[in-house]
Amino acid sequence: MLTKIPKQFYFFLAAIFILNLVQSSFTQLIFDEAYYWYYSQNMAWGYFDHPPMVALLVKISSFFFNGELGVRFMSCVLSAINIILLWMMIDNPKKNDYIKHFFVLVFSMTLLNAYGFFTLPDTPLLFFTSCFLLTYKYFIKKPTAGLAIVIGIFMAALMYSKYHAVLVIFFVLLSNLKLTTNKFAWLAVAIALFCYAPHFYWLYENDFVSIKYHLYERPNGAYSFEKYTLGFIVNLVAIFGLTFPFIYKALFKTKGNDLFNKALIYLTYGVLIFFFVSSFNRRVQTQWIIIVCIPLVIIAFNYMLQNKQALNWIFRLGLINTILIIYLRMGLAYQPLLFNFYYETHGNKEWAKAIEKEVGDIPVVFENSYRNAPMYSFYTDATPTFSLNNFMYRKNQYSINDSEEQVRGKDVAYVSKYLNNPTFTYTREDDGLYKGKYIANFQSFRKLDCIVADIPVALNSEEDVDLKIYNPYQEDIDLKKLKFAITYMDHYKSPVETLQMTPESTQTGNTLLKEQDTTHFIFQLPKTKKENIGYFRVVISENDLLYGLNGKAIPIK
């Protein structure tokens, strides 16, 4: 229990907590953090890319502090509590003699260290994984209704953190299939589903946009062993740094002699195998496998307490990791330490202020950048901002909220990389030249939905294809303001060619898309000489903007 934890433990914990607070205060946001800060400005039960837990953390942090710490404070708190939870899951009576070894092990894990202050969906995922495992440890000793309710709440909290959390729940269940006959386990499931019901309803109300994106619409490419599978293997090393041989050796040597250790082993191997298989289909991002850090802290430290050689080597190599990590963390806040290497935490406030100085207080529309729009808003207090997405990008939170409505009809500064005759420019050392111009009475209709039956269409055929266009806006839209085109894509849904076409209305003389109504058209696919075409998408340009993302990808025969 907490009362039995030695004072030395709390001294180390306090040092890490203070370090994370200082780091949070003096390090500019990374782009994903700015995006999640944008989430928190309009709290909801779900968002385009993720469930809402990360937004809740930012919102709570903002009650205590302003600026960067107002985004990251709760991450610092959760990471500190997480260390306590990890300690509580270790039963070895010798552990109190090796407190410094435990902290070196935890602090030397690169991503576990980073999520001690960054606010990302993986931050609550790690925390609630520990909460879930600790409660499960008590549950398998003596199942009770009270523990079942707590486990159910933690399962829901896991799923509110990140959809990958389903792996945690699934592999722990797989390690103990007798749970399927345990009435208290079913009570936990019922509680979890009840707590998660608001998010299910949000998904239903938003046409399951998050699920569709993660399953079908995430960017992908042709398989490359170097980028995909080898990249996954490199990630297995990167999350632990120099200690990785001994940590994986601890995993190989650990036996599932009891249900809790069995759960830790199943969870670790399950996640690693799942993403290894996934690496043959897509690039596995490093943070996707970070869940394994939680069981591997427990497995590795227990192994260290039983193996003197592992204890000494992990401690020594962990100290080297720690020194390197501290140096890199200093470089996150003060760029010159990284020898002119620019990371996401460098220069954001500066470029945002430079644009604000140029455009004043008028709204800024960023083309194809859900990253730049919230970062600009965070560092300038400018509202509204909007990310207008074209056919070369992807949808995001700006595609489903009301940000477009907030800039429609206003004079805006339009910032893009695609402009030919810009009024102003600025250069970011990490991302090249950006161009800007002023647009009076800005009009965009990116929520126009082009609906084509999900049936393969023959390329270069002359068959008519039915098209329905739903206008969700509370105004009629003149068809003369719109241009239509077909974007041909390869088999990985990357744009290959965009050709203009003119759909014919099935209603003679129709010149409008009626408000909140569906208009019917027919069209023929424009001829193309391009090869390796796998899909097409109906796209719309309004007021000479680049074509948007108005229809879903339809397969080509």
Side-chain angles (χ1 to χ4, degrees), residues 57-287:
L57 292 187
V58 177
K59 178 60 73 174
I60 295 173
S61 298
S62 70
F63 292 147
F64 296 97
F65 298 98
N66 297 316
E68 290 88 354
L69 191 56
V71 173
R72 296 171 172 151
F73 176 68
M74 284 304 299
S75 294
C76 299
V77 172
L78 293 192
S79 66
I81 300 175
N82 194 26
I83 293 174
I84 298 174
L85 298 175
L86 289 168
W87 182 258
M88 292 174 66
M89 282 187 272
I90 298 166
D91 290 331
N92 195 307
K94 297 190 297 183
K95 70 179 184 179
N96 287 347
D97 298 327
Y98 297 95
I99 292 174
K100 64 181 180 181
H101 296 77
F102 172 79
F103 274 93
V104 167
L105 171 67
V106 172
F107 196 82
S108 67
M109 293 186 177
T110 53
L111 284 189
L112 198 59
N113 189 304
Y115 291 124
F117 61 95
F118 283 142
T119 296
L120 301 165
D122 302 276
T123 307
L125 175 67
L126 291 169
F127 174 74
F128 287 114
T129 297
S130 293
C131 291
F132 171 69
L133 289 175
L134 180 60
T135 310
Y136 174 72
K137 183 176 183 179
Y138 288 111
F139 182 83
I140 54 181
K141 291 179 181 177
K142 187 178 180 181
T144 65
L147 285 174
I149 292 171
V150 174
I151 285 181
I153 293 171
F154 286 145
M155 284 196 293
L158 275 167
M159 292 303 299
Y160 272 119
S161 299
K162 199 170 184 179
Y163 295 121
H164 288 163
V166 70
L167 298 178
V168 178
I169 299 168
F170 174 76
F171 288 120
V172 170
L173 171 63
L174 192 63
S175 74
N176 184 10
L177 291 177
K178 289 184 178 180
L179 289 172
T180 57
T181 62
N182 187 309
K183 64 180 181 180
F184 295 117
W186 283 107
L187 174 61
V189 171
I191 294 296
L193 291 174
F194 175 78
C195 293
Y196 206 59
H199 184 64
F200 281 134
Y201 184 73
W202 181 90
L203 286 171
Y204 170 76
E205 287 281 284
N206 288 272
D207 196 28
F208 298 95
V209 62
S210 303
I211 305 301
K212 290 179 179 179
Y213 169 70
H214 287 293
L215 290 182
Y216 308 116
E217 298 177 9
R218 288 189 72 96
N220 202 5
Y223 175 73
S224 164
F225 175 78
E226 292 79 9
K227 292 181 180 179
Y228 287 22
T229 306
L230 182 60
F232 167 75
I233 296 171
V234 170
N235 288 340
L236 295 183
V237 175
I239 60 174
F240 299 118
L242 297 175
T243 61
F244 81 91
F246 295 95
I247 290 177
Y248 288 118
K249 183 179 180 180
L251 173 63
F252 299 147
K253 293 289 187 180
T254 300
K255 306 298 181 183
N257 297 325
D258 59 74
L259 285 175
F260 185 66
N261 271 326
K262 189 177 179 183
L264 298 179
I265 292 169
Y266 269 62
L267 174 56
T268 305
Y269 278 118
V271 169
L272 295 181
I273 292 171
F274 177 86
F275 284 114
F276 173 70
V277 173
S278 298
S279 75
F280 291 95
N281 174 257
R282 63 176 62 248
R283 185 174 68 87
V284 176
Q285 297 180 19
T286 311
Q287 68 269 23

